[in-house]
Amino acid sequence: MTSGASGNIPEYGVGELGGAIKRTLESAFGRIRVRGEMTEVKPYSSGHVYLSLKDGQAKVEAVVWKGTVPRVGLKPENGVEVIATGRISTYADRSKYQLIIERLEYAGEGALLKRIEMLRQRLQEEGLFERRRPLPLLPEVIGVVTSESGAVIQDIRTTLARRFPRRVILWPVQVQGAGAAEQVAAAIRGFSLLAAGGAVPRPDVLIVARGGGSLEDLMAFNEEAVVRAAAECTIPLISAVGHETDTTLIDFAADRRAPTPTAAAEMAVPSRDEMAAGLAQLGARLKGRADSHLGDARLRLRVAGRGLPDLPALVANARQRLDERAERLDGALPRFLDGRRLVLSRLAGSLRHPREVIAAKRGTLGETAGRLFAAWGQAHQRRCSAPALQRLSPAPIVARLRAGSDRVRDLGTRLEALGSDGRPGREARVRLEALSARLEAVSYNSVLRRGFALVQRAGGAAVTEAAALKRGEKLTLVFADGSATVREESDRQGRLF
């Protein structure tokens, strides 16, 4: 620094001026706390974070060095009002001053609530709060994410033992302070990754719990990492953070929200006593309804039974009618057969063998021819002078007799041919023998040969009833080998012949 001709005005080089201003600012302000809203937050690949703090009147640039970022207290975000603790320094290359931030704190609950609301709106727009899955009725295993040293886990265990004892798996985490959000998110994801049937049982329901506290104490459950882990969890999740009046962002992402950890345990399992009472009530109602239905059914059955006929009586009557029909059938069949046999006997009596018929016709024809020839001879001998007799000539008559004789001879020849060894003759003979056998079987002659007799009146009519006889009437008894004539006589003791 030098003095010129202008008096005592100091003269600086550019570098000297920048150094002097930096020393003056750092010595004048030292460590300060600046309240403002974070804007223009820009993390760099080097690990440093550059931002600005502003209020309604001015804006100051600030920087968080890489080594300070992990312990600065909170994640720098645009729009969040904070109190930054640090020191004023300059950046000589651009002739500006900046705040070197060593710690960040939320500027009261208003700032915290504003940050939470901004995060809630952003996550809601992504659709993270739309899932609501039903809880299992009676889970076998319950997973709990909370501190192992607090009273929360004891309250949950006591409530479960009182309502319905279930197996509890605890994943201990830090529930406030630095690193708490990362531990809670890791525990939720760890439970989701457990495989069913593995060495560590997979929970059927998950409880994320913490006791009451200030808004700053509950901020771990408002972090984006915890909210996203809860939304991605594959196990039904119950959030129980703080008291009934406390609300955190994990409540929006969970499947159920419980006002307290004790209420979460009550929500996870039903009351065994209440279930037993409900089952008993349902059983009683079911029994009552069943008894009512059975009573109605019995009543309808009795009413319907009155309109039904007496089935045993119907069966008994049917059996009796069947017995009567069977008895009548047993008697009707022999009577029917006897009637058929009598008809056949009558028909058989009038039947004659064709050879006998032909022989009789031949005899009759011969007798007729003989009588005609004799009459013609007598007439010729007498030399009848009647004109009609004189005109008669024996030639036509002889021709007719000869034609008749030829036809008879021809019939006899055909009959003999039927009896020869030819096929038509054999078939005819077999049929004739069969008919003869049947005729012989139904003929009354076979009956007579067994010792019976046929009673006939004088005209040849058969007598079948004794009441039809008249006293003194002549009767003919036909036996197998002949006949005898008797007269009917009767007395009080019966009928004698």
Side-chain angles (χ1 to χ4, degrees):
M1 179 178 64
T2 59
S3 60
S6 300
N8 295 327
I9 300 174
E11 180 179 333
Y12 295 93
V14 175
E16 291 177 340
L17 179 61
I21 294 173
K22 180 178 181 179
R23 288 190 297 272
T24 302
L25 289 174
E26 289 179 353
S27 62
F29 290 94
R31 289 175 58 84
I32 60 174
R33 290 165 57 88
V34 179
R35 180 169 182 164
E37 179 183 341
M38 290 187 292
T39 60
E40 302 176 358
V41 177
K42 295 181 181 180
Y44 277 71
S45 59
S46 60
H48 309 313
V49 178
Y50 293 90
L51 54 94
S52 298
L53 294 176
K54 70 174 184 177
D55 57 11
Q57 298 177 354
K59 179 175 72 172
V60 60
E61 294 183 357
V63 61
V64 182
W65 301 124
K66 176 181 178 180
T68 309
V69 170
R71 56 180 184 273
V72 73
L74 56 87
K75 181 180 179 181
E77 293 178 303
N78 289 320
V80 179
E81 186 177 5
V82 295
I83 298 177
T85 303
R87 54 189 176 85
I88 294 293
S89 182
T90 64
Y91 182 40
D93 290 353
R94 296 186 179 180
S95 300
K96 65 179 182 179
Y97 69 92
Q98 60 186 6
L99 176 64
I100 308 299
I101 298 176
E102 299 175 353
R103 183 170 181 77
L104 288 174
E105 303 175 25
Y106 291 106
E109 290 190 359
L112 291 178
L113 292 176
K114 182 178 180 181
R115 174 185 177 275
I116 293 172
E117 180 61 20
M118 292 172 58
L119 179 60
R120 186 191 70 79
Q121 291 179 0
R122 179 163 58 85
L123 296 179
Q124 186 174 11
E125 291 175 357
E126 295 182 16
L128 265 66
F129 301 154
E130 297 178 357
R131 186 192 63 180
R132 289 294 182 272
R133 291 172 299 183
L135 300 178
L137 175 63
L138 188 60
E140 293 290 336
V141 180
I142 299 175
V144 179
V145 178
T146 189
S147 173
E148 62 179 341
S149 59
V152 172
I153 185 63
Q154 298 302 326
D155 292 343
I156 292 176
R157 286 173 175 168
T158 302
T159 304
L160 293 177
R162 171 175 52 84
R163 289 177 63 81
F164 211 119
R166 299 283 90 182
R167 183 175 181 179
V168 177
I169 299 178
L170 172 65
W171 193 307
V173 295
Q174 184 179 340
V175 293
Q176 72 180 56
E182 289 75 11
Q183 292 185 20
V184 173
I188 296 174
R189 291 192 174 95
F191 273 128
S192 296
L193 294 176
L194 290 176
V200 179
R202 178 182 172 88
D204 299 309
V205 66
L206 192 62
I207 298 176
V208 179
R210 187 204 187 283
S214 63
L215 182 60
E216 290 80 1
D217 296 336
L218 304 180
M219 279 302 296
F221 299 93
N222 289 313
E223 295 296 333
E224 183 176 355
V226 174
V227 177
R228 290 190 179 277
E232 297 169 359
C233 183
T234 58
I235 303 172
L237 188 144
I238 302 174
S239 66
V241 178
H243 297 299
E244 186 172 0
T245 57
D246 297 325
T247 301
T248 56
L249 293 183
I250 193 176
D251 297 336
F252 296 95
D255 296 293
R256 293 288 188 279
R257 176 188 180 273
T260 61
T262 301
E266 294 177 350
M267 190 180 296
V269 295
S271 173
R272 183 167 51 185
D273 296 337
E274 293 177 0
M275 288 185 68
L279 289 175
Q281 183 179 6
L282 289 175
R285 292 176 59 187
L286 181 61
K287 183 178 183 302
R289 293 295 299 272
D291 292 342
S292 176
H293 281 295
L294 288 176
D296 295 341
R298 291 191 186 97
L299 179 60
R300 291 194 298 269
L301 183 60
R302 286 195 295 269
V303 172
R306 296 190 187 101
L308 292 176
D310 189 359
L311 294 181
L314 291 177
V315 173
N317 293 335
R319 287 177 178 173
Q320 186 174 359
R321 287 195 298 270
L322 181 60
D323 293 339
E324 291 177 356
R325 300 297 191 275
E327 184 178 1
R328 292 173 59 185
L329 182 60
D330 292 340
L333 184 58
R335 288 194 297 271
F336 175 76
L337 293 177
D338 291 342
R340 294 297 94 187
R341 290 192 185 100
L342 181 58
V343 173
L344 289 175
S345 298
R346 292 176 180 175
L347 293 176
S350 61
L351 292 176
R352 298 175 63 187
H353 198 279
R355 292 179 180 178
E356 295 178 0
V357 175
I358 293 173
K361 293 298 182 182
R362 283 179 178 176
T364 303
L365 183 60
E367 292 176 1
T368 303
R371 287 197 301 270
L372 287 175
F373 278 114
W376 177 259
Q378 291 176 5
H380 184 68
Q381 289 175 3
R382 293 175 184 176
R383 298 180 183 276
C384 181
S385 58
L389 291 176
Q390 291 178 358
R391 289 193 299 268
L392 289 175
S393 173
I397 297 175
V398 172
R400 294 178 65 185
L401 289 176
R402 287 178 179 175
S405 179
D406 292 339
R407 283 197 300 272
V408 171
R409 190 180 300 107
D410 182 56
L411 288 174
T413 302
R414 293 172 63 186
L415 182 60
E416 291 297 336
L418 292 175
S420 63
D421 294 333
R423 180 176 178 183
R426 287 198 303 272
E427 295 179 355
R429 185 170 61 251
V430 171
R431 290 197 297 271
L432 183 59
E433 290 175 356
L435 292 173
S436 298
R438 293 174 62 186
L439 183 61
E440 183 64 23
V442 299
S443 175
Y444 71 94
N445 292 326
S446 61
V447 180
L448 297 179
R449 284 194 294 272
R450 292 200 297 271
F452 294 92
L454 176 62
V455 183
Q456 293 180 336
R457 285 192 170 91
V463 179
T464 60
E465 296 180 356
L469 296 176
K470 297 180 181 179
R471 185 177 180 79
E473 183 179 1
K474 289 184 179 182
L475 302 171
T476 300
L477 298 181
V478 180
F479 298 96
D481 57 349
S483 60
T485 301
V486 298
R487 187 182 298 275
E488 193 273 341
E489 295 290 344
S490 62
D491 55 17
R492 296 180 180 178
Q493 303 301 324
R495 297 183 183 274
L496 298 176
F497 299 93

